[in-house]
């Protein structure tokens, strides 16, 4: 796992993983762009042995996201649906939320104001 706290302060992208009540939580921080496309894509895909994967992506530490990040979210959403699982987004900051709304990803993937709400639903 990457230290997301130090990375977020520097703007460098970081990806963290944890599990809360059987739900996989992927925590992203920093700037999400083409430089992390491959690493991000792999991190967001459900594990092969996940069965029906339940994943929440915590976006509260993301300061910028371009189309590479949007595409990774869409791919992760489709991968979860293909195995009868689900994907939720949590806590996007206003600049990221604005981009998500412009492309309509907030209509495709359930989006919650914070991690707690995404885990409770």
């Amino acid at each position: 796992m990457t230290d997301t706290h130090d990375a977020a302060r520097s703007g460098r992208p970081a990806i963290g993983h944890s599990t809360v009540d059987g739900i996989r939580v992927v925590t992203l921080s920093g700037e999400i762009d083409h430089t992390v496309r491959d690493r991000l894509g792999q991190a967001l895909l459900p594990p092969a042995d996940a069965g029906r994967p339940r994943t929440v992506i915590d976006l509260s530490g993301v300061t910028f996201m371009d189309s590479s990040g949007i595409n990774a979210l869409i791919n992760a959403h489709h991968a979860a649906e293909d195995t009868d699982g689900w994907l939720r987004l949590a806590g996007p900051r206003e600049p990221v939320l604005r981009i998500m709304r412009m492309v309509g990803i907030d209509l495709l993937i359930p989006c919650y104001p914070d991690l707690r709400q995404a885990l409770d639903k």
Side-chain angles (χ1 to χ4, degrees):
M1 179 160 47
T2 304
D3 180 357
T4 57
H5 183 69
D6 288 340
R9 281 195 308 231
S10 70
R12 291 185 325 231
I15 302 168
H17 299 270
S18 61
T19 303
V20 177
D21 296 329
I23 300 171
R24 185 171 73 118
V25 177
V26 180
T27 303
L28 305 179
S29 63
E31 297 181 0
I32 306 299
D33 61 19
H34 71 281
T35 63
V36 295
R37 178 185 61 226
D38 295 335
R39 191 176 73 163
L40 177 63
Q42 288 300 315
L44 297 183
L45 291 178
D49 61 350
R52 295 178 57 191
R54 299 178 303 156
T55 303
V56 173
I57 301 174
D58 183 355
L59 299 169
S60 62
V62 175
T63 57
F64 171 82
M65 182 181 297
D66 72 3
S67 61
S68 301
I70 297 294
N71 287 331
L73 295 176
I74 292 168
N75 290 338
H77 169 71
H78 289 303
E81 279 194 334
D82 288 348
T83 55
D84 292 325
W86 51 256
L87 177 72
R88 296 175 182 163
L89 306 176
R93 295 179 181 186
E94 188 56 39
V96 174
L97 184 58
R98 188 175 327 115
I99 291 167
M100 290 170 42
R101 286 180 176 154
M102 278 192 327
V103 298
I105 197 169
D106 61 318
L107 301 174
L108 177 67
I109 304 171
C111 188
Y112 298 87
D114 58 45
L115 180 61
R116 181 187 51 77
Q117 290 181 42
L119 291 167
D120 288 345
K121 298 292 177 182

